[in-house]
Amino acid sequence: MKRDRRLLIALLLFLAATVAAIIQSWIVSMYIVAAVMGGGYWDQFIEFFGLEPITGPNQACFDYCAPTLPFIAGWIAIGGFVIGCILVAHAWWKPER
């Protein structure tokens, strides 16, 4: 019996979505630690991810002073999961003969 290749592609997309979700959860964890600890942790976070600092060395921040959260891994996880679900549904309703 021959297997449907769409199911293999969907499985690989689910695997990629899982890896991307794990990476994004690690990024969010680092973001939360930096937010709670403040000070030099924000500088490490900004330097590690190559973000633009909110304020310069001789400036003060009186509003929202956190850097933006890198979310590209999150979008990859969401996209891979959705496309994988679509492929599984398509393989279910229109099987190859």
Side-chain angles (χ1 to χ4, degrees), residues 18-41:
T18 302
V19 170
I22 290 169
I23 291 170
Q24 186 63 43
S25 66
W26 172 70
I27 292 171
V28 169
S29 172
M30 288 179 60
Y31 190 84
I32 291 172
V33 166
V36 170
M37 301 304 284
Y41 286 92

Side-chain angles (χ1 to χ4, degrees), residues 4-86:
D4 193 346
R5 289 180 190 246
R6 294 174 293 182
L7 295 176
L8 175 63
I9 294 169
L11 182 64
L12 292 174
L13 282 170
F14 285 138
L15 182 64
T18 302
V19 170
I22 290 169
I23 291 170
Q24 186 63 43
S25 66
W26 172 70
I27 292 171
V28 169
S29 172
M30 288 179 60
Y31 190 84
I32 291 172
V33 166
V36 170
M37 301 304 284
Y41 286 92
W42 278 128
D43 296 334
Q44 291 175 358
F45 185 84
I46 289 169
E47 183 181 326
F48 184 78
F49 289 105
L51 303 172
E52 292 292 323
I54 301 300
T55 60
N58 295 326
Q59 296 174 338
C61 179
F62 296 108
D63 196 13
Y64 183 72
C65 299
T68 58
L69 175 65
F71 199 71
I72 189 69
W75 287 119
I76 292 170
I78 291 168
F81 184 78
V82 168
I83 293 170
C85 287
I86 291 169

